[in-house]
Amino acid sequence: MTIALLLLIFGLPGVAFWLLVPGLDPIGRLVVASAASPTLLSAVAGVMLVTGLWSPGWGLIAVFLISGLMMLAALAHRARRRPPAPLTVAPRPAVPPRPAVPAAGPEENDEWIFNS
């Protein structure tokens, strides 16, 4: 039960931060999510202690609420982004045919050898 609760407490903010940084590669997203999750938990606990409102139950609710709002913001941003325009290939212009070059006879091709 304790391990499942810890996974839930640390996992939900981690998933929220994972969704907030879609531009990073998976390793970078994992680093950001694993660093930001305990930071969010510490910030919520610190604010609740300073204001005198500390309670484990309310702390859990605050973390879940903040994580849920971050997930909604990330999903709303993802839905609002326009998909990239499809790549279109412009047709190549027609290449005019090359004019035919008259074939040179064997005597014309060998003249350069004898000129010095």
Side-chain angles (χ1 to χ4, degrees), residues 32-45:
V32 168
S34 62
S37 180
T39 304
L40 177 68
L41 294 171
S42 300
V44 168

Side-chain angles (χ1 to χ4, degrees), residues 24-81:
L24 296 177
D25 62 334
I27 300 296
R29 291 173 87 176
L30 181 65
V31 169
V32 168
S34 62
S37 180
T39 304
L40 177 68
L41 294 171
S42 300
V44 168
V47 167
M48 290 182 81
L49 283 172
V50 167
T51 58
L53 299 173
W54 172 248
S55 151
W58 285 110
L60 188 66
I61 290 171
V63 168
F64 287 168
L65 182 66
I66 292 170
S67 298
L69 289 174
M70 287 191 311
M71 282 185 192
L72 284 175
L75 294 176
H77 177 69
R78 182 176 292 171
R80 211 175 115 191
R81 278 192 315 192

